[in-house]
Amino acid sequence: MNVLLFLIPVALLMGLAGLVAFIWSLNSGQYEDLDGAAARILEDDDEKPGKEE
C-alpha cells in the first residue's frame, strides 16, 4: 500500500509531462502540414549539389 504513495505522484507527473509536450508541439506547428511531409518523401530528388551530367 505504501508503494501507491510513490506511484500515484509519479504517474501524475508523467501525465503532466506528456500534456506539456503535446501543447508545445501544437504551438510549434508540428501538426500544420501532415500531408506535405507524406508527399515529400515520395519525391524523387536525385540532384546533388556540384554533380553535373
Side-chain angles (χ1 to χ4, degrees):
M1 192 67 166
N2 287 338
V3 73
L4 289 178
L5 295 175
F6 174 72
L7 290 179
I8 290 174
V10 169
L12 290 175
L13 286 175
M14 290 176 66
L16 182 64
L19 181 64
V20 168
F22 177 70
I23 291 172
W24 172 79
S25 67
L26 281 178
N27 288 335
S28 66
Q30 303 236 348
Y31 299 107
E32 289 183 358
D33 187 21
L34 296 177
D35 293 331
R40 279 193 298 272
I41 193 123
L42 298 175
E43 291 179 2
D44 189 21
D45 194 18
D46 288 338
E47 296 178 14
K48 294 183 180 179
K51 183 178 180 183
E52 295 180 19
E53 293 182 14

